[in-house]
């Protein structure tokens, strides 16, 4: 059995798969067979009877990778896949805590909070304690809590040197109390709690150390400190100096590529690769240098790109495969045209018999998917957004659409239920039940029930919500569709809400894309809210790939790690987008962006498209952009420009531009300052010359039309 398992492996791979039970590091570039070696080693250990399924623990980076590994193993071997501990760090910790909830001090049915839940919990806490959330912004506090947990620090171990940090520490403590009371754990807690349980419970630790004799970890370069500490405990390397643990530690088989470390921004510590060699006295470091995935030109491009990074462990990848075709570069006039290009090429490949599932469209930021999805929708090409949601299914988009639906029709119960308490305004479940009862009793909508004052104790809060919707409806009259969208985002408090969230940046970018979607809709169709809402529902559901249906794969570059496809489109290769604005001025950040680009290029087996757009719609407006430096870092001989130097579109795609914009630099979404009304955002303007009128949303001060010449407005950005 093991002979066929090992067939086709190259000598280094074979050596790695059949290593004796010692700790080892497999350091190798993309597509060199790391994941394959890891899976094959598990199969080899099992099939040669060196260990039973219960003795293996393997960590993957995604749930999908875990599932694939399990499927492959149970196809190869007569084993019950469920006995194998294969999963992500979070998945494995969850499994561990479910088994030992009592020892871990958790309720049996503890619930897991995702990051949005956690943020909401922190906000609730601040409110309950009457803490000023401007002084202690929820986002910052959540970051503080998670950061400490990832360092393994409980409140009593956190250093605090002034009043502010003492308060933070106290809030951390209160937050923990609240979680305990409610029986919930956040992501960081899953890990920390598992770690502490192993650390403090000698019997359990002994049991698991004796059990898991082989621990294997894929994508080791992206583990964080706490994950590494947890591994050390599990493998019997902790506590330090404990003689009992020495000599019987598990064999840890770590597989990684420093060039693909792309989660430093979330605390991943590539230094773990170095520490691992020291802590586990690793004597065997195996390098795999043959790439089996990509054609030569693709590999050469990736190698050349990553060579621009300074901090590397250094390795060189080669392939026996032929050079193949050059990389195809397409410079589009606009993001719409870029999407059109992707659609045309996908159609052609489909005609040539290529399955859609083996084609991936990659982008740096989630919000970029909107334009691509729109083009695919129009071309009726089924697609799936991998590792994320389709644009119109994203939480923030659904919230914004629900407000818009209420503007169009306040008696839309679903929309009302979605946002009556989002952002939180103190309207609880009991109030909603009461409203629903009233509505049922009188056979009316929730809106009418709410208007009739049937809201019990929270009547005032409900009243304010009704007022909010009414005033938005009033203000929206006569506004253009994209302006209506912006008005809703501002007035309903969605922008403020997500600005305060730790991971809110991506959601803000998506909301921004909703304004752009509205602007496009007006251009292509009509300026009508109801029609736009219908369009959004259709696009959300219509061409959704059915389970099992062949579908194009859309995803962020982060989500593509470890995967491979026949053909890959890497889109949006523009300065500011990729490399991302956030990292351009920071050399470390730039190197991480380059590693990310390296991950993207190395996903392709045979065909790689690189595309960029000279203009892109942001905030409902067209912005011009410059080609990404990464394109210059790939040798020109490997690139085939399909249309170099394409002239920008003669007319900007946005209809929001007007004379005023040129003369006064005004634009929708612009921040302004007024001596009397304070800070505001431009929502509309018209007229020209000396007669420009501008409409500004001053938040609590209301939305006002001002004559620009006399307004004493300062334009801020
Ligand atoms: N010895 C081999 N012979 C033929 N194909 C191989 C061999 N080793 C690996 N492959 C194939 O090469 C491709 C890349 O392998 P794999 O995904 O394991 O690489 P990896 O190093 O894990 O890549 P990444 O760094 O992107 O995660 C897969 O299709 C795999 O089946
Ligand atoms: Mg891999």
């Amino acid at each position: 059995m093991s002979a066929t398992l090992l067939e086709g492996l190259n000598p280094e791979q074979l050596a790695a798969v059949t290593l004796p039970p010692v700790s080892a590091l497999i350091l190798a570039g993309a597509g060199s067979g790391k994941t394959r070696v890891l899976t094959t080693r598990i199969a080899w250990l099992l099939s040669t009877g060196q260990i039973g399924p219960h003795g293996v623990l393997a960590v993957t980076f995604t749930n999908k990778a875990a599932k694939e590994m399990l499927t492959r193993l149970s196809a190869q071997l007569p084993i019950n896949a469920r006995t194998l501990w294969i999963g992500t760090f979070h998945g494995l910790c969850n499994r561990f805590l479910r088994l030992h909830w009592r020892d871990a001090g958790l309720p049996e049915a503890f619930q897991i909070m995702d990051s949005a839940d956690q943020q909401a919990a922190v906000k609730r806490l601040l409110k309950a304690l009457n803490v000023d959330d401007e002084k202690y912004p929820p986002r910052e506090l959540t970051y503080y809590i998670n950061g400490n947990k990832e360092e393994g620090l409980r409140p009593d171990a956190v250093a605090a040197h002034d009043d502010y940090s003492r308060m933070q520490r106290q809030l951390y403590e209160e937050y923990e109390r609240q979680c305990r009371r409610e029986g919930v754990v956040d992501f960081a807690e899953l890990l920390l709690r598992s770690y502490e349980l192993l650390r403090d419970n000698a019997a359990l630790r002994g049991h698991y150390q004796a059990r898991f004799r082989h621990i294997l970890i894929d994508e080791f370069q992206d583990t964080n400190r706490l994950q590494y500490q947890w591994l050390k405990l599990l493998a019997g390397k902790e506590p330090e100096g404990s003689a009992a643990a020495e000599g019987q530690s598990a064999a840890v088989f770590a597989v990684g590529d420093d060039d693909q470390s792309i989660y430093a921004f979330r605390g991943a510590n590539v230094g773990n690769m170095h520490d691992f060699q020291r802590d586990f006295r690793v004597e065997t470091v195996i390098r795999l240098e043959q790439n089996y995935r990509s054609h030569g030109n693709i590999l050469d491009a990736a190698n050349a790109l990553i060579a621009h990074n300074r901090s590397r462990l250094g390795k060189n990848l080669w392939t026996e495969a032929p050079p193949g075709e050059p990389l195809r570069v397409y410079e589009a006039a606009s993001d719409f045209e870029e999407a059109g290009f992707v659609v045309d090429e996908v159609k052609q490949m489909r005609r040539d018999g290529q399955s859609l599932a083996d084609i991936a469209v990659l982008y740096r930021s989630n919000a970029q998917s909107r334009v691509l999805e729109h083009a695919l929708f129009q071309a009726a090409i089924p697609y799936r957004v991998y590792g994320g949601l389709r644009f119109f299914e994203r939480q923030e988009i659904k919230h914004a659409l629900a407000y818009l639906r209420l503007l169009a029709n306040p008696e839309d119960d679903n929309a009302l239920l979605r946002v009556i308490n989002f952002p939180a305004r103190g309207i609880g479940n009991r109030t909603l039940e009461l409203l629903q009862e009233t509505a049922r009793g009188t056979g009316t909508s929730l809106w009418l029930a709410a208007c009739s004052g049937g809201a019990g104790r929270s009547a005032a809060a409900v009243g304010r919500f009704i007022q909010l919707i009414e005033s938005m409806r009033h203000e929206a009259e006569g506004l253009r569709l994209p302006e209506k969208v912006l008005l809703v985002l501002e007035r309903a408090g969605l922008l403020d809400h997500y600005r305060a969230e730790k991971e809110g940046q991506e959601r803000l970018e998506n909301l921004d894309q909703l304004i752009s979607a509205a602007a496009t809709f007006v251009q292509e169709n009509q300026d009508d809210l109801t029609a736009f809402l219908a369009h959004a529902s259709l696009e959300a559901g219509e061409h959704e790939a059915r389970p099992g249906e062949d579908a194009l794969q859309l995803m962020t570059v982060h989500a593509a790690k470890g995967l491979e496809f026949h053909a890959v489109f890497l889109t949006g290769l523009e300065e500011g987008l990729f490399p991302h604005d956030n990292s351009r001025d920071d050399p470390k950040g730039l190197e991480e962006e380059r590693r990310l680009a390296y991950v993207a290029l190395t996903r392709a087996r045979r065909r790689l498209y690189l595309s960029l757009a000279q203009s892109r719609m942001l905030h409902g407006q067209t912005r011009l952009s410059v080609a990404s430096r990464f394109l210059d870092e790939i040798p020109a001989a490997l690139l085939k420009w399909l249309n170099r130097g394409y002239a920008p579109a003669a007319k900007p795609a946005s209809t929001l531009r007007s004379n005023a914009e040129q003369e006064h630099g005004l634009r929708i979404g612009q921040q302004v300052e007024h001596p009397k009304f304070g800070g505001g955002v431009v929502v509309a303007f018209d007229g020209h010359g000396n007669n420009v009128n501008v409409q500004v949303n001053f938040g609590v001060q209301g939305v006002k039309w001002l004559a620009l010449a006399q307004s004493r407005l300062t334009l801020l950005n």
Side-chain angles (χ1 to χ4, degrees):
M1 187 193 324
S2 62
T4 50
L5 262 183
L6 304 177
E7 230 166 66
L9 297 177
N10 68 34
E12 294 75 29
Q13 291 179 328
L14 182 67
V17 166
T18 58
L19 275 176
V22 292
S23 290
L25 175 65
I26 315 301
L27 174 67
S32 59
K34 292 184 300 296
T35 303
R36 178 163 160 161
V37 160
L38 189 142
T39 314
T40 313
R41 179 163 170 84
I42 300 176
W44 180 77
L45 289 169
L46 294 171
S47 69
T48 51
Q50 298 183 54
I51 191 94
H54 68 283
V56 177
L57 179 130
V59 188
T60 58
F61 203 71
T62 59
N63 290 313
K64 181 167 183 245
K67 239 182 254 159
E68 271 176 18
M69 216 172 265
L70 282 170
T71 317
R72 228 191 287 174
L73 287 171
S74 41
Q76 284 171 335
L77 303 165
I79 49 164
N80 179 355
R82 258 178 300 174
T83 54
L84 279 165
W85 280 56
I86 296 186
T88 61
F89 275 109
H90 286 133
L92 292 169
C93 287
N94 178 41
R95 186 165 174 176
F96 179 64
L97 294 174
R98 295 277 165 209
L99 284 171
H100 304 293
W101 53 273
R102 209 187 301 264
D103 292 318
L106 290 169
E108 187 171 6
F110 68 87
Q111 297 295 307
I112 300 172
M113 292 190 286
D114 65 18
S115 34
D117 297 336
Q118 187 188 18
Q119 187 81 38
V122 167
K123 273 194 194 147
R124 231 174 338 107
L125 178 76
L126 294 178
K127 199 152 203 183
L129 296 176
N130 242 331
V131 174
D132 180 358
D133 64 359
E134 294 205 345
K135 198 161 172 214
Y136 296 92
R139 172 167 60 162
E140 204 177 279
L141 193 58
T142 313
Y143 192 75
Y144 169 89
I145 292 171
N146 292 343
N148 278 311
K149 286 190 182 186
E150 274 154 22
E151 292 291 326
L153 301 174
R154 292 293 181 192
D156 55 7
V158 178
H161 32 79
D162 54 17
D163 284 350
Y164 190 81
S165 52
R166 272 189 286 277
M167 181 64 173
Q168 278 184 314
R169 186 172 62 187
Q170 196 191 332
L171 290 169
Y172 178 14
E173 210 176 322
E174 295 288 348
Y175 168 80
E176 293 210 308
R177 205 163 291 147
Q178 175 177 301
C179 289
R180 259 199 308 278
R181 207 171 44 237
E182 297 177 1
V184 294
V185 300
D186 56 50
F187 284 147
E189 184 70 28
L190 278 176
L191 260 165
L192 181 54
R193 193 65 74 107
S194 302
Y195 167 77
E196 290 171 341
L197 182 53
L198 276 183
R199 185 193 60 195
D200 302 338
N201 189 323
L204 265 185
R205 187 171 67 245
H207 170 80
Y208 281 100
Q209 286 176 347
R211 173 176 171 175
F212 294 128
R213 305 310 301 150
H214 284 275
I215 298 179
L216 304 95
I217 314 143
D218 202 0
E219 307 277 3
F220 187 62
Q221 75 279 0
D222 273 328
T223 49
N224 69 26
R225 282 177 216 281
L226 186 59
Q227 288 165 343
Y228 180 60
Q229 295 305 328
W230 183 77
L231 274 173
K232 269 170 73 175
L233 267 187
L234 200 59
K237 280 290 175 195
E238 196 86 345
E240 222 123 82
S242 131
E246 288 299 326
Q248 50 164 329
S249 63
V252 177
F253 188 84
V255 160
D257 177 5
D258 57 309
D259 288 333
Q260 294 186 70
S261 141
I262 54 175
Y263 281 95
F265 74 100
R266 269 204 218 153
N269 174 29
V270 75
N272 285 342
M273 295 179 96
H274 179 259
D275 294 354
F276 171 62
Q277 295 182 57
R278 187 195 57 210
D279 298 342
F280 286 75
R281 298 206 194 92
V282 170
E283 284 171 10
T284 323
V285 177
I286 295 185
R287 289 173 188 260
L288 309 175
E289 305 211 309
Q290 180 170 2
N291 172 294
Y292 288 91
R293 181 178 292 147
S294 310
H295 267 170
N297 286 337
I298 296 172
L299 194 60
D300 289 348
N303 280 339
L305 177 85
I306 198 67
H308 285 81
N309 270 6
R310 282 167 183 275
S311 49
R312 298 181 66 206
L313 296 176
K315 58 188 119 53
N316 209 21
L317 275 179
W318 58 275
T319 178
E320 276 176 358
E325 54 187 44
L327 282 57
R328 302 171 184 223
V329 192
Y330 188 83
E331 183 168 17
S334 67
D335 44 354
F336 300 100
E337 206 209 305
E338 180 189 41
F341 167 73
V342 171
V343 164
D344 289 345
E345 292 293 314
V346 167
K347 277 185 180 162
Q348 185 57 48
M349 282 191 269
R350 201 182 193 187
R351 276 196 292 274
D352 296 342
Q354 180 58 52
S355 87
L356 293 178
D358 214 6
I359 307 175
V361 182
L362 309 183
Y363 35 84
R364 171 68 182 83
S365 304
N366 238 313
Q368 280 169 260
S369 83
R370 205 255 321 157
V371 174
L372 291 161
E373 288 188 56
H374 181 58
L376 292 167
F377 164 76
Q378 287 191 319
I381 296 176
Y383 67 89
R384 231 172 247 123
V385 177
Y386 176 87
L389 293 171
R390 297 157 70 93
F391 181 76
F392 282 110
E393 285 171 1
R394 295 177 189 156
Q395 182 211 79
E396 59 280 16
I397 299 300
K398 286 179 128 176
H399 286 324
L401 289 173
Y403 277 107
L404 289 165
R405 294 219 309 264
L406 288 177
L407 291 201
N409 168 24
E411 298 195 44
D412 183 333
D413 283 0
N414 279 333
L416 184 132
L417 281 173
R418 175 171 268 279
V419 293
I420 189 167
N421 196 38
F422 191 96
R425 29 178 93 84
I427 301 174
N429 283 339
R430 194 155 322 145
T431 304
L432 288 180
E433 277 163 25
L434 215 62
L435 274 181
Q436 276 163 316
E437 251 168 54
T438 317
R440 259 196 306 274
T442 52
T444 57
S445 63
L446 290 171
W447 173 261
L448 289 179
C451 290
S452 67
R457 274 190 302 141
S458 307
V462 171
R464 278 193 297 276
F465 176 73
I466 291 173
Q467 245 169 23
L468 171 73
I469 301 292
E470 289 286 16
S471 69
M472 284 199 294
R473 273 173 69 175
H474 184 66
E475 288 164 34
E477 269 169 35
L479 288 188
R480 298 167 53 79
L481 184 56
E483 295 153 7
K484 278 188 187 140
V485 177
L486 179 64
L487 173 85
V488 161
L489 299 183
E490 285 280 356
R491 294 275 278 118
L494 291 174
L495 294 184
D496 283 343
H497 176 82
Y498 291 117
R499 271 187 204 121
E501 214 177 65
K502 177 176 170 229
E503 315 233 322
Q505 182 55 31
E506 195 171 290
R507 300 198 192 273
L508 289 171
E509 285 174 17
N510 282 327
L511 288 174
D512 193 63
Q513 279 296 317
L514 187 64
I515 305 177
S516 298
T520 311
F521 183 80
V522 172
Q523 269 169 34
E524 290 180 351
N525 303 281
Q526 50 181 323
D527 194 341
D528 181 73
L529 177 59
T530 311
F532 177 64
L533 291 170
H535 157 86
S537 330
L538 282 178
E539 207 166 294
E542 189 78 340
H543 285 284
E544 171 124 44
R546 292 181 298 278
E549 186 188 7
D550 188 30
L552 188 69
Q553 311 282 310
L554 265 63
M555 67 193 81
T556 62
V557 181
H558 278 103
K561 200 163 77 146
L563 306 179
E564 63 183 34
F565 305 90
H566 167 82
V568 168
F569 291 86
L570 176 56
T571 64
L573 275 169
E574 297 136 37
E575 285 291 299
L577 207 54
F578 202 3
H580 198 274
D581 255 336
N582 296 347
S583 52
R584 269 197 303 180
D585 300 328
D586 159 24
K588 268 199 186 152
L590 186 62
E591 294 218 338
E592 177 139 324
E593 291 290 302
R594 197 175 279 110
R595 289 193 293 271
L596 198 53
Y598 173 77
V599 168
L601 300 186
T602 52
R603 298 309 97 199
R605 287 203 298 268
R606 295 289 173 263
R607 179 173 288 189
L608 181 56
Y609 292 95
L610 307 175
S611 64
L612 63 155
Q614 294 180 338
S615 67
R616 206 168 268 284
M617 213 190 238
L618 269 176
H619 314 292
Q621 307 227 354
T622 304
R623 294 264 176 94
L624 298 181
S625 38
V626 186
S628 166
R629 71 190 70 192
F630 296 151
L631 274 169
D632 295 331
E633 294 174 359
I634 299 173
L638 300 174
L639 305 177
K640 179 179 170 192
W641 287 78
L642 301 178
N643 63 339
R644 179 143 220 185
Y646 201 90
K651 183 167 76 63
S654 166
T655 53
L656 284 172
R657 290 185 162 231
S658 74
N659 291 336
E661 188 179 357
Q662 267 109 56
E663 289 168 21
H664 302 285
L666 278 178
R667 57 181 176 72
I668 309 284
Q670 182 158 20
Q671 309 274 344
V672 293
E673 184 77 33
H674 188 275
K676 180 157 159 229
F677 306 124
V681 176
V682 173
V683 292
F685 46 77
D686 62 19
H688 41 80
N690 290 329
N691 295 318
V692 175
N693 294 315
V694 54
Q695 190 183 27
V696 180
N697 180 352
F698 289 105
V700 288
Q701 302 282 347
V703 179
K704 309 198 187 299
W705 273 108
L706 305 166
L708 186 62
Q710 287 92 46
S711 67
R712 292 181 294 155
L713 272 185
T714 316
L715 309 183
L716 295 182
N717 61 358

